[in-house]
Amino acid sequence: MNNNRLYIDIHILQTVPPSCINRDDVGAPKTAVYGGVTRARVSSQSWKKAVRDIFSKELAENEVGVRTKRIADMVAKEIYALNPEYDKTAVKTDAEKVLQLAGLQEKSTKAGKDAPLFFMSVSQAKALAKLVVEDEILKSDAKDMQKKKGTDPKAQKALTDNPAIDVALFGRMVADDPGLNTDATTQVAHAISTHKVENEFDYFTAVDDFPAEEKTDAGAGMIGTVEFNSSTLYRYATVAVHDLQRKLGAATAKAVGTFVDVFARAMPTGKQNTFANRTIPDAVLVTIRGDQPVNFVGAFENPVKPKNGYFAGSVEQLIKKVNETYSDWLAEPEKSFVVGAALGAPDVLAALGTTVEKVKLDALAKKIEEYLNDHTS
Amino acid sequence: MTILLRLAAPLQSWGVGSKFDRRGTERVPTKSGVIGLCAAAIGISRENKEKIHELSSLKFGVRVDRPGVLLRDYHTAKSGKTAYVTNRYYLADAKFTAGLEGVEALLHDIDAALRRPAFPLFLGRRSCPPEGKVALGIVKESLLDALRTDAGWEYISYDGDGVYLVRDVPVSFSQIRREYGFRCVEQISAEKQIGEIEDEIDWFKESEMP
């Protein structure tokens, strides 16, 4: 196994107003105890979903995975693209067959009600189509198809190689054939508040705008409560760049830059129409290391006390932790980028090491991509 | 020779045999979880039974420095119109020290790998990255001596001769077929040091019933 290591850590401090970004089964914002006190929490799966949604909107079609029940149609489309003369009556079943050779069960390849959503990249659909049209895999392995679970290594390879950027980053789980599972190369932690929170209740009444004339329905048309909190969150994610490179090759630097940018901008949609909590990060610290990822959440084990809000104290505790880490335990990162006035102040920059560079949020992706292109083979 | 690992983070989750909709956690880190963490650090493939066996042959123990509190995470995933609901359990605010005892060369490999892991490390679930240091280094003492320091801990759970069986000895982490074996687990609590355990009351002996 290749012995290179390259990790990109993303640390974000982000303040959100009263909000209910991620709620549990009784509608309360999720929480967790840390350092002995209750913290606001937004689960990793919630924030990852928000990231994936942006990926599928903003990246080119052949770069993102398509999550669909109609995978056979995707392959059939690519078969036609390769050979417009292909037998129209057979194309759908041939597409299904090649997917089954790749390890999927019949019910997954037919777009029925029970078919699971499958994550497939356009490149993978193209590779499977190529096997059908050019390598005539269905003819050469006719015997295999007789078997109940006949699979073909070439077809399986087509379905695991060339993953979409998001599949390579977030992984894929296939219940039918765990052999097609892909381990994720990113790790996203649950976001937690740097300070203690107590959930609050918003008691609301809604007026009936068209009441009966006899006033028999006096009072509110509806009453209810919405639970919420507000917080300064610490968000952390890491990408194993060296591992991602094995999967994406030359596309890695761009994928990492895009991920960092999208992770910084993404916001889960929970109760957004109610609270309009669509903030952007107050501070972003990106560290690139050749040894190990480092999660700075321990900076906030001692909950931040309010002092002109929570953000200033959060920055102070984060910097203290970073300093302790670099002086007592690990070397400085190979490279750091910071976004935001709080981390970009000259004395703070000096405290964050010698390789740190202040950038604007919209330049972060490009900077990371450039750095990785220059420093990885 | 014992290697010590610090396992601390806002959330950890150490499941034993939990599948599908309900993903539980034990009260302490599992052997499969800690061996898996070491295997990920070294970069051992999920199917490499030989190397995994070598790792699981190490004597494992874990000291509870801070037990944490149980957290239930309600998790939905949408597929079409219906939401798939799962409950995932975590230990919040917990802190453990794990130890693995065995041959020096292997412990050195683990220690080096934890400081330069092949894959990102996590405490039972991928969404639980460790906070701060994981590798605390290698000490000369045996597992129990290394874990049994005098600073405030609650109890130690370790590979012993007890009759309490836990099925968390990894055989293979294969995506296609995970396999686990059993181990016997013993516990000592902070008040009762190891030598004193034999002097405990024998509850089955009538004459000594208090």
Side-chain angles (χ1 to χ4, degrees), chain B residues 60-121:
Chain B
F60 169 71
V62 58
R63 184 179 77 211
V64 179
D65 299 317
R66 198 166 69 204
V69 291
L70 192 65
L71 172 82
R72 180 175 64 94
D73 187 45
Y74 171 81
H75 181 163
T76 61
K78 248 186 208 137
S79 168
K81 275 185 179 167
T82 51
Y84 174 65
V85 177
T86 71
N87 282 298
R88 294 165 187 212
Y89 289 80
Y90 295 87
L91 289 177
D93 211 12
K95 201 175 193 177
F96 304 99
T97 305
L100 290 163
E101 183 184 341
V103 281
E104 196 177 348
L106 182 56
L107 300 187
H108 275 292
D109 286 352
I110 297 172
D111 188 62
L114 289 174
R115 294 160 201 269
R116 239 177 134 266
F119 301 107
L121 307 178

Side-chain angles (χ1 to χ4, degrees), chain B residues 133-145:
Chain B
K133 250 176 243 192
V134 174
L136 295 179
I138 297 168
V139 294
K140 291 194 302 291
E141 285 83 10
S142 69
L143 177 73
L144 277 180
D145 285 344

